[in-house]
Amino acid sequence: MEFKITMPRKRRELYNKEICACSIFGAMNRDGERFTGAGVMKAIANMHVRGNGLGGGFAAYGIYPEYKDYYAFHLMFTGCSAEARMAAKMGFDPYLYENFDVVYDEEIPHRDESTVSDPPLVWRYFVTPNKKGDDAALSDEDYIVAKVMHVNTKIDNAYVFSSGKNMGCFKGVGYPEEIGEYFMLDRLYKAYTWTVHGRFPTNTQAWWGGAHPFSLLDTTVVHNGEISSYGTNRWYLEMYGYACTLQTDTEVIAYAADLLMRRQSLPIDLVAKILAPPIWNSIDRMNEKEKKLLTTLRMVYGPLLMNGPFSIIIGQTGKMIGLTDRIRLRPLTAATRGPMFYLSSEEASIRLISPELDSVWTPNGGEPVIGELNNIT
Amino acid sequence: MAMAHNAQPQLLEATGSGESMDAVEVDATNLETRELNDRLRDLMLSGVEKVVLRNVCGQRYIGTRLYTPEHRKMDIEIYGTPGNDLAAFLFGHNIRVHANAQDGVGNTMDHGEVVVEGRAGDVLGFSMRGGKIFVRDGVGYRTALHMKEYEDKKPVVVIGGTSQDFLGEYMAGGIVILLGLGGKPHKGNFLGTGMHGGVIYLRGTVDKTQVGSQVDISPLNDADREIVDHYVSEFIQRFPDLGIGKEEILKGEFIRLSAKSKRPYVKLYA
């Protein structure tokens, strides 16, 4: 029997979604002028193919000038029905009112006709600490951190996902441009720094709390990559009172940044050398002083080394910082135009909203790029 | 100039006479990666030999999927910023980018030519096995990663500026020339790590701690000089606006980085 095989030469129907990675983007006006989220939504949408619609989020700095002296808590109440979500809020409110003075609260405005799936109840509270007993000795910040950790570990279906002053995170399951529309970030808010993330979850399920940014107080992190040292990092951070509850590796970077930068007041250059230290080969080639410093950092902070490929944007009041792993296994492009400072997974997204740029470069692995406000108002 | 409109790609009849045709312009605004590459393929199949892409913004794989059994060739000019993997699997076409390029230029490129009037990102020339890439300014990490050659197929990458780390990592063949124009020193580390074939010519110097342990640093011999001379001429032809003469480039000190052994792991796996 003879077989005649003819290979069909017609064009294969191409799978429309063959590309994957995460996307990150940040835009900062170093003069402190505030702008809406419209531009960054456009920029992140241009990297649509890097994500897969299972997470998107924004951090915005300078959005609550009328409440700038109060901590802005953004809360997520989960549950399978509106009643269950409201019940979760009822479970949380007494704890909040017992420990804080609340000057204003409301549901975060959103578009109900949006396409996002299973949105939780998202509420914001503007609060000041009401410290009692032993807690009176704590700084405001330490008090907030302790209470956030308590809520996220002890109170069912309630998650504080944003807790800084005059800033806020907005995040959820969907493409980032959808999340931006859901919370109407292009109309309701003006910030001097926006950071954005489009997610392609690799190791954990997508849920609203697991979207980026991750934040604590005013520090936020958006991240492309994965932290393969997550277990070690998490174990170390737990010793300092940080509980990882959000099921995404990036959470450890936010807490590490809080520990090193706020509590231990280390400058970002040192923090970068802790999170992304040069490899031993490189350390061997340094002069004695540098060698001693880097060896010491690796001894003291070994468990905070973030192993694995990453590029991240850290947001803080008045600051935006880009950092990649030491051998830059994930992309990051930096650019400036006048007072504007941009960070992005891809240059095209920056050019889309700022066709002319003063400078464009790809930072070296492990070396932070930093944008700072000229005058912090 | 003929215009291809967004909704309806204009398909032109092949002239077959080999006469030069007008360039076809494509406005890439709001075109997705796949739509843009479909457009290019349709234009090529209809016999168009020159395409100008306007307002490109991050669309990937431009120049890929342009193989035909009869080896048709097209000139593609790009305005705007092309996305990752520009010229991936490129099969004989010429691409000129009037801007910076992103990551992955010339990924597994087969033959043809890419000219970038600016800088390029990471992994340029990854697994490239033929053709030429000219970059006016610098390049990012892992340029010429696992570049290879076979018989008469020998890829060439010429970079006007310098490179970040891991240039020529696991390089197995081909030629990389780094001109270091603009006077910036070569600061890249881990050059040629795991290299076992091909050659890197570098204008300027590097410390031996910057190169992988598998790499020999040596001066150029006459045959090397001929190769460098040839490709520097081609580089200058492609960037006439640079305003720098060939002699000026060639009078700089060059070094040659090549693999100590073609089989560096023979003892490990024998």
Side-chain angles (χ1 to χ4, degrees), chain A residues 230-261:
Chain A
Y230 174 73
T232 303
N233 306 142
R234 174 184 169 147
W235 158 82
Y236 183 82
L237 288 163
E238 273 171 4
M239 297 197 305
Y240 290 89
Y242 298 97
C244 294
T245 55
L246 297 173
Q247 303 165 27
T248 301
D249 52 1
T250 309
E251 193 178 9
V252 294
I253 309 177
Y255 301 161
D258 182 67
L259 174 67
L260 299 173
M261 298 178 80

Side-chain angles (χ1 to χ4, degrees), chain A residues 142-200:
Chain A
D142 285 343
Y143 182 78
I144 301 275
V145 170
K147 299 303 165 198
V148 168
M149 293 300 151
H150 178 92
V151 173
N152 289 356
T153 51
K154 299 273 165 51
I155 299 182
D156 287 343
N157 303 324
Y159 299 92
V160 184
F161 66 96
S162 186
S163 52
K165 282 180 180 173
N166 199 12
M167 56 77 65
C169 294
F170 302 88
K171 64 183 191 177
V173 175
Y175 283 101
E177 57 271 27
E178 293 171 337
I179 299 299
E181 270 180 33
Y182 180 69
F183 290 113
M184 297 176 280
L185 303 181
D186 51 341
R187 278 165 280 168
L188 300 185
Y189 304 92
K190 278 185 169 177
Y192 61 83
T193 299
W194 289 91
T195 68
V196 204
H197 183 260
R199 190 171 185 216
F200 184 99

